[in-house]
Amino acid sequence: MTIEILLFSVRVGLIICLYAFVGLIAWLLWRDLHPPSGHSDQAAVTFQAQLLDIKNQRVYWASPVTGIGRAAHNTIQLSAETISLEHALLTQRAQQWWLEDLNSSNGTQLNGVPVVSATVVRPGDIIGVGEVLLRFEAVRV
């Protein structure tokens, strides 16, 4: 076996490995973007959350990660002076909504109880941020 044949064999082997690697990456991406179709009807039901400002009757839609505060980058921007720039965080995790206080000056309350750690929020709960009261509702989509 000459050195040329050996080098050619190594090149062909490396090309095969490269194509196998690219194919594996493409398959993993496809699998992540196309989940299995064997979901039950109950698992396919999704809920969006909305918050109703009780005083002003204004509706705010929540995204899976919803910041609440006075700063412009928050999903729900409230202008009351008793609300911190980054007051609270509402997140959707594992088919549930969670409320966290972000070390705000006036605290966050859930049904009148101060939120000290991440707490599950249910439809009909009242979220207090500063002087603003928001009723949490889940809407089936």
Side-chain angles (χ1 to χ4, degrees):
M1 186 185 254
T2 65
I3 192 76
E4 291 85 18
I5 295 174
L6 179 64
L7 286 175
F8 179 75
S9 300
V10 168
R11 286 181 187 161
V12 169
L14 288 174
I15 289 172
I16 291 171
C17 288
L18 180 64
Y19 277 113
F21 177 74
V22 170
L24 175 66
I25 296 297
W27 178 75
L28 289 172
L29 287 172
W30 181 86
R31 190 182 69 175
D32 284 345
L33 294 174
H34 297 88
S37 60
H39 293 315
S40 68
D41 290 340
Q42 185 177 9
V45 174
T46 59
F47 292 92
Q48 279 192 321
Q50 66 180 14
L51 298 160
L52 172 67
D53 184 333
I54 294 172
K55 181 180 177 184
N56 299 324
Q57 296 296 305
R58 183 167 180 192
V59 174
Y60 300 98
W61 286 95
S63 60
V65 178
T66 301
I68 303 170
R70 283 188 296 132
H73 64 269
N74 286 301
T75 309
I76 298 176
Q77 186 179 1
L78 303 169
S79 59
E81 290 297 320
T82 57
I83 298 175
S84 300
L85 290 174
E86 295 176 352
H87 197 101
L89 186 66
L90 185 66
T91 55
Q92 185 180 26
R93 292 180 261 160
Q95 303 291 330
Q96 291 183 320
W97 288 89
W98 295 78
L99 179 66
E100 299 175 64
D101 181 65
L102 299 178
N103 296 319
S104 60
S105 301
N106 294 315
T108 303
Q109 296 182 351
L110 182 63
N111 298 321
V113 178
V115 174
V116 293
S117 62
T119 307
V120 174
V121 182
R122 291 182 169 67
D125 284 350
I126 304 296
I127 299 170
V129 285
E131 63 188 31
V132 177
L133 296 176
L134 304 166
R135 184 174 45 231
F136 178 84
E137 296 297 337
V139 180
R140 187 180 219 167
V141 291

